Amino acid sequence: MSLIQNINREPKITLLGAGPGDPDLLTLKGVNALKTADVVLYDALVNEALLIHAPVNAIKVYVGKRSGEHSYEQTAINKLMVDYALNYGHVVRLKGGDPFVFGRGYEELAYADSYSIPVSVIPGISSSIGVPGLQQIPVTHRGLSESFWVITGTTSNGEISQDIYQASQSSATVIVLMGLNKLAQIVEIFKTAGKDQLPAAVVQNGSSTSEKLVVGKVATILAMVKKEKIEAPALLVFGEVVSLHPSFKTLVKQYASIA
Ligand code: SAH
């Protein structure tokens, strides 16, 4: 890569949360940051429509990880981000949802900091709260849920998070990210906790045109996900609050036979 030194611009990095997918769910502060970007580094879950806010001549680099395609390692992304900032000025690091919710945002912040490059953080709407919300599933609701857990289905060693065991025994709303391909195992954990009848939902591509939703109960959700061919990115919601979904009753009845 040949980088031309730009002596006029101070290096700086903005870690920007892009929201869950719908380009209108970016904050105004995010739009303003993109307007002054010299470089935009963006991830797989970021809607490319957001790049329209960046200047036409800004460098736009896709650094996402999509299965089966070439992907950048985190250390390579860190280096690229710092290189671009030192050579071009303002790097906007555009990340899906919120940068600090399973986004590895702090690793990027710490790396930039080790080069004394100033970093600002602009939060984004995390899919963990925003996607259920768009479905009219509140993560808390008076009388139904006093707290919510956001847990990863896949930890850095590829295992299911142990926190899911504890969460399954609580009355909290449990939102699982990166958990679709571990759904069978997760469902078993909830069943072991005696939660067969607990309402559950899975949302694929929330807030986008390819959004898909299944709503049911712990006992039926796996069969429903298979039947509806739900694919990643998707998140799982377990909790009484799912019963507030406008179609809950109809869908539970409709799928009662497949459990
Ligand atoms: N920082 C992001 C999460 C990154 S982890 C955030 O705050 O939203 C990536 C996981 O988030 C995906 O595997 C999926 O479980 C979930 N996810 C992200 N966007 C989603 C969307 N639009 N619909 C459903 N799940 C989504």
Side-chain angles (χ1 to χ4, degrees), residues 5 31 66 84 91 114 137 144 175 178 186 193 212 235 237:
Q5 185 85 32
V31 172
R66 280 183 191 136
Y84 274 123
V91 173
S114 72
I137 300 174
L144 276 189
I175 298 127
M178 296 175 281
I186 295 168
K212 266 172 126 178
L235 57 77
V237 188

Side-chain angles (χ1 to χ4, degrees), residues 20-21 45 96-99 101-103 125-128 131 176-179 203-207 233-235:
L45 291 177
D98 183 89
V101 178
F102 300 118
I125 297 177
S126 175
S127 64
S128 56
V131 165
V176 184
L177 303 189
M178 296 175 281
V203 195
Q204 169 195 312
N205 271 311
S207 86
L235 57 77

Side-chain angles (χ1 to χ4, degrees), residues 24-204:
D24 283 355
L25 290 174
L26 177 68
T27 60
L28 200 47
K29 195 157 186 165
V31 172
N32 289 334
L34 280 169
K35 279 185 185 159
T36 64
D38 297 302
V39 181
V40 183
L41 300 183
Y42 63 100
D43 279 348
L45 291 177
V46 166
N47 191 328
E48 293 192 358
L50 292 177
L51 299 175
I52 198 162
H53 299 298
V56 183
N57 56 357
I59 301 167
K60 291 138 191 141
V61 189
Y62 171 74
V63 293
K65 302 170 187 172
R66 280 183 191 136
S67 47
E69 285 177 28
H70 168 77
S71 70
Y72 283 86
E73 293 297 329
Q74 187 63 46
T75 46
I77 295 173
N78 293 350
K79 286 197 180 118
L80 206 60
M81 184 182 70
V82 162
D83 262 7
Y84 274 123
L86 292 174
N87 289 286
Y88 289 88
H90 185 199
V91 173
V92 173
R93 178 68 181 102
L94 190 55
K95 302 173 78 71
D98 183 89
F100 290 155
V101 178
F102 300 118
R104 305 191 72 171
Y106 196 80
E107 293 168 52
E108 296 177 8
L109 186 153
Y111 190 80
D113 201 45
S114 72
Y115 284 83
S116 303
I117 298 172
V119 178
S120 356
V121 177
I122 303 178
I125 297 177
S126 175
S127 64
S128 56
I129 302 177
V131 165
L134 286 162
Q135 289 295 339
Q136 302 183 19
I137 300 174
V139 291
T140 68
H141 183 63
R142 207 173 253 255
L144 276 189
S145 165
E146 294 170 0
S147 65
F148 58 93
W149 295 47
V150 179
I151 311 178
T152 178
T154 314
T155 60
S156 52
N157 60 11
E159 300 287 312
I160 208 161
S161 167
Q162 289 298 311
D163 291 354
I164 293 181
Y165 291 88
Q166 289 176 47
S168 70
Q169 292 175 19
S170 77
S171 56
T173 303
V174 181
I175 298 127
V176 184
L177 303 189
M178 296 175 281
L180 185 65
N181 59 16
K182 298 245 169 52
L183 182 62
Q185 208 181 330
I186 295 168
V187 158
E188 279 315 308
I189 295 171
F190 277 90
K191 284 185 180 169
T192 307
K195 302 278 176 70
D196 295 58
Q197 295 307 309
L198 185 69
V202 178
V203 195
Q204 169 195 312

